[in-house]
Amino acid sequence: MESSAVVAADLIDFLNASPTAFHAVDEAKKRLKSAGYVQIFEREDWDLKPGNKYFFTRNHSTIVAFALGKKYVAGNGFHIVGAHTDSPCVKLKPVSKVIKSGFLEVGVQTYGGGLWHTWFDRDLTIAGRMIVRDKKDGCESYLQKLVRIEEPIMRIPTLAIHLDRGVNDGFKVNTQSHLLPVLATSIKAELNKPASTDDSIEHGAANDGSKSSKSINPGGEQHHSLLLQLLAAQAGCEPGDICDFELQACDTQPSVIAGAMKEFVFSGRLDNLCMSFCSLKALIDATSPESSLEDEVGVRMVALFDHEEVGSNSAQGAGSPVMFDALSRITSTFSPDSKLIQKAIQRSFLVSADMAHALHPNYSDKHEENHQPKFHGGLVIKHNANQRYATNAVTSFIFREIAAKHNIPLQDFVVRNDMPCGSTIGPILASGVGIRTVDVGAPQWSMHSIREMCAVDDVKHSYEHFKAFFEDFSQLDGKIVVDI
């Protein structure tokens, strides 16, 4: 059995490889392939066999991986852990070129409900994906390329207290005017411009037709040439071959195991890459031994969705048909009987895994007296009578029973009656697919900050709990009788 330190160190590697949802999916793909999972594609027919392991991606920001039990037949259930790959951040606007008071700034828009004041005075860089023109043997194609500039190239500086004496009475961020990262001074950018760069890049002269209209920056009107040069150098292409992109600002400070007792994880994007990592590692380890799927009658699955932080309403979000599509296609591969998918869904179970709020010693009044999740206390089952979480007595019992069997700690959370309650992909999938669901998450502090914090022990507890779920659910579910 791996120690807490070993599991947490693996999480650190995953986090540092995943500055964006695109990179997180890419890292997940690498780990799955190394574990013997075969990539399949939604655009193609699926040839699946019991005992084998597969995965597919959608938009390269959502990934679904599954392992078929050797005793699986159509109509049997799916045992799923679901999480999400996205986190609050600032994303570059379609026209990001801003010049103010002699400085090159980058126009950004906020994504999700971030703690935006934490983005000030951080050493920032840029990462994401680009669509790049590729020419080979006279043929032109367009490729997706992931890009990440490693060094800090931007910063959002705060205003000195001498110019804002009341700032400590309440710092209110205007996300339109205050949250623009500074890239360079105009004079330095001009002096260091490569000789081959046309003067039109920063001055916006009209496109003379020599450059393809498919370029992302015709006439230099949309983005700073300096920024495009940095991106092109990282991607190994010419600036004029960048056709489009989805990029975001990222903190350059790496994720670390820290604290005086080395008991904490300091990192960005713990919500929700911590749960994405724990579920992925649990699936891989629960399906890696040759014998692990011998007696399995169901399908063990992990689904990591994009766009949870903005409501999940996209083609690759949990609100899309991606989950139902996966269940339906797997079932129909083994039988043409369309009624079996309904039977399979009623035999299935979803663990919706999204980070939880740990009790904060400086703000203990923000938690309900009898529901105060603590660090090192294991996963938190989330409850809400108004269905902001999808947990009910049956689903919480199943999750508790697995914990009790393996001596894994477990906690409960209910939001105070006088505070609003957040939500997860749990209610979306429970209502959209009709699958039994329990909402859980590891406790953390500073949720939606650029720099968050959780406990090393809870990373291991989460991984072990998910792994036990995959291994034990089929047998446990057979003992539960509800609709009689």
Side-chain angles (χ1 to χ4, degrees), residues 1-8 81 274-275 277-283 285-286 351 376-379 399 401-410 440 442 456-473:
M1 184 178 293
E2 292 178 299
S3 68
S4 294
V6 171
V7 178
V81 181
C274 180
M275 293 293 90
F277 163 82
C278 291
S279 59
L280 186 70
K281 179 175 175 60
L283 178 68
D285 290 354
V351 178
H376 313 305
L379 281 168
F399 209 64
E401 194 69 6
I402 292 169
K405 178 181 176 181
H406 294 269
N407 197 30
I408 299 171
L410 192 61
V440 306
V456 164
D457 287 348
D458 291 322
V459 178
K460 184 187 179 187
H461 294 325
S462 301
Y463 153 69
E464 290 181 341
H465 207 147
F466 295 152
K467 184 171 180 285
F469 163 71
F470 285 129
E471 294 170 342
D472 294 353
F473 177 77

Side-chain angles (χ1 to χ4, degrees), residues 89-90 105-110 115-120 124 156 173-182:
C89 63
V90 292
E105 294 186 308
V106 179
V108 295
Q109 55 184 327
T110 55
L115 289 173
W116 303 123
H117 69 274
T118 65
W119 285 74
F120 286 75
L124 303 177
I156 306 172
V173 180
N174 183 313
T175 54
Q176 174 63 26
S177 56
H178 297 161
L179 208 60
L180 281 78
V182 175

